Amino acid sequence: MHSLPNTIQARIQQALRSTLVERLTTPHGIDRYLEAFNPSWSVFETRARVTAVRRQTEDTVTLSLQPNAQWQGFRAGQYVRLTARIDGKRYTRCFSPANSVHAADGRIELTAKINPDGVLTRHLRDHAAPGMVVTLSEADGSFALPEQRPERVLLISGGSGITPVMSMLRTLCDEGYAGRITFLHYANSASAQLYADELGAIAERHANVELLRAYADGEGGELSGLFSQQQLAEAVPDYAAAETFLCGPPGLMDRVEAAWKSDGIADRLHMERFTAAPIVLPEGEDAEGEVRFLKSERLAPNDGDTLLNQAEAAGLRPDSGCRMGICHACTCTKTAGRVRDLRNGAISDAGEEEIQLCVSVPVGTVALDL
């Protein structure tokens, strides 16, 4: 459908969303029939076809994706949830597009760091190839360039956290942004640096872009070692005047956040975190009640584990992704009962509400629309 004129695409989409088509394709839905002709075709889902794969470093994979007509675009810095079906089960993770929002070809570029224990990232490393089709969520997140561009921009990233700020840099350069930009990136070594060649080329082409790279091994780069407030003051003396956008590993983010707070400029620091504290089950509590899975008509005694683990132990296969409360892939409706959120210890009301299975533990009997 991508090759058809926009007006014809719109008419086809409208027809396929009609009540008549819905009734004719029940219970599977029109998307299940469309994908038999082309896996990327969909009326209701954003799907994307892999058009290119490259490996910038040993532990990453970069995908170029062509989304279908459902894609609504994104703001530089936002993230999407990518879902792939692996051995019959859907796996989801969050990734930030690294491309400019003004990319002329409409494609999305995602770079994933390989988690040795992660099913999805290992699958992408081993099996991603042109023609593979994945599902995308709409873009989400408040970490994004503001519509009114700041006069001074400082971008700080570490490791694979470079992707959202790379999108910001590419976007600003495509717009002919005239303000000063400092791009400060931390990596273990020069060989582990993502987008190394392109960053160098951007700094050469744009006089208003200053590139500062700091490598933990001390070899190469304009700086060396880990972030410190003294290093920052020497390298970027006017940092307090900039709107700063930060994404990276927890250690780097904690140190930067502490520096901005100590200077009283925390309101000028914008952050994106893709890691969470480890999920720890409460100790010294006896699990009571049962977990009722309404749709599947199953019942299991509450064993005190997360609802995601209890659902899987009961033979169900709910969608899941990060398993730490970030990606929201395992969001489910709780119809009755109370649950404890393992991230903050808060106990929910007993009524119906949306919960995340991976970070929720039942407090007594709970019923799920699962």
Side-chain angles (χ1 to χ4, degrees):
M1 286 192 282
H2 267 296
S3 60
L4 297 174
N6 289 339
T7 54
I8 295 178
Q9 285 190 48
R11 290 174 183 173
I12 293 175
Q13 293 280 346
Q14 184 177 10
L16 293 176
R17 287 192 175 98
S18 70
T19 302
L20 175 61
V21 170
E22 181 183 356
R23 290 175 178 173
L24 291 173
T25 57
T26 300
H28 303 294
I30 184 61
D31 284 350
R32 299 290 82 81
Y33 292 94
L34 288 175
E35 68 185 14
F37 294 94
N38 186 320
S40 66
W41 287 359
S42 173
V43 173
F44 299 103
E45 288 185 340
T46 299
R47 295 178 185 165
R49 177 173 51 85
V50 175
T51 60
V53 180
R54 60 191 176 106
R55 291 168 175 79
Q56 300 187 56
T57 64
E58 292 182 355
D59 62 348
T60 64
V61 59
T62 298
L63 308 179
S64 179
L65 301 167
Q66 182 66 65
N68 65 11
Q70 306 310 315
W71 174 243
Q72 300 298 309
F74 71 104
R75 293 171 60 197
Q78 289 187 306
Y79 66 89
V80 298
R81 290 181 284 274
L82 180 149
T83 300
R85 190 172 291 277
I86 305 169
D87 296 329
K89 185 176 179 180
R90 290 162 59 94
Y91 291 85
T92 301
R93 288 295 302 272
C94 297
F95 301 104
S96 296
N99 56 287
S100 165
V101 300
H102 306 295
D105 58 9
R107 295 180 182 178
I108 308 167
E109 181 176 285
L110 303 180
T111 293
K113 181 177 176 61
I114 310 305
N115 178 354
D117 300 319
V119 176
L120 180 55
T121 56
R122 287 189 292 111
H123 178 79
L124 295 176
R125 176 196 63 194
D126 298 338
H127 301 290
M132 177 183 182
V133 173
V134 298
T135 301
L136 300 177
S137 71
E138 290 304 324
D140 201 355
S142 59
F143 183 72
L145 281 176
E147 296 299 330
Q148 183 67 38
R149 305 307 194 214
E151 294 182 4
R152 173 76 170 97
V153 173
L154 171 58
L155 305 174
I156 305 178
S157 58
S160 59
I162 193 174
T163 54
V165 294
M166 191 70 192
S167 176
M168 293 178 178
L169 178 65
R170 285 167 157 173
T171 296
L172 291 171
C173 289
D174 281 353
E175 293 174 351
Y177 174 79
R180 286 185 55 227
I181 305 172
T182 299
F183 196 106
L184 175 55
H185 182 71
Y186 291 85
N188 290 329
S189 65
S191 63
Q193 165 83 66
L194 288 165
Y195 299 101
D197 293 341
E198 184 179 354
L199 281 172
I202 288 174
E204 287 184 5
R205 289 197 309 269
H206 299 271
N208 62 323
V209 176
E210 178 186 25
L211 176 60
L212 299 174
R213 294 158 291 193
Y215 300 131
D217 64 7
E219 298 183 11
E222 293 73 24
L223 306 173
S224 63
L226 303 176
F227 173 89
S228 70
Q229 199 158 2
Q230 179 180 348
Q231 180 196 66
L232 175 70
E234 294 173 356
V236 192
D238 67 337
Y239 70 91
E243 288 295 322
T244 300
F245 300 87
L246 166 69
C247 186
L252 170 64
M253 297 190 70
D254 291 344
R255 288 191 293 272
V256 173
E257 185 177 19
W260 259 247
K261 285 182 177 179
S262 70
D263 285 344
I265 54 173
D267 61 325
R268 309 207 73 171
L269 178 63
H270 314 276
M271 302 185 293
E272 182 68 285
R273 295 183 185 271
F274 282 121
T275 57
I279 300 301
V280 179
L281 293 171
E283 295 182 2
E285 295 186 10
D286 294 326
E288 298 178 343
E290 56 195 18
V291 182
R292 299 171 181 173
F293 304 101
L294 302 181
K295 280 186 178 179
S296 55
E297 298 182 343
R298 299 190 187 186
L299 186 67
N302 173 23
D303 64 9
D305 205 343
T306 66
L307 282 168
L308 178 58
N309 288 340
Q310 294 201 54
E312 291 175 340
L316 305 182
R317 306 183 79 174
D319 290 346
S320 65
C322 65
R323 305 183 83 93
M324 64 179 76
I326 294 176
C327 75
H328 295 267
C330 65
T331 298
C332 174
T333 300
K334 171 182 67 68
T335 60
R338 301 179 187 273
V339 298
R340 175 180 284 106
D341 189 324
L342 293 178
R343 295 167 296 186
N344 52 31
I347 296 178
S348 73
D349 292 331
E352 181 173 310
E353 64 179 323
E354 297 291 303
I355 64 169
Q356 292 171 259
L357 298 175
C358 68
V359 292
S360 298
V361 169
V363 179
T365 295
V366 167
L368 302 174
D369 188 25
L370 187 65

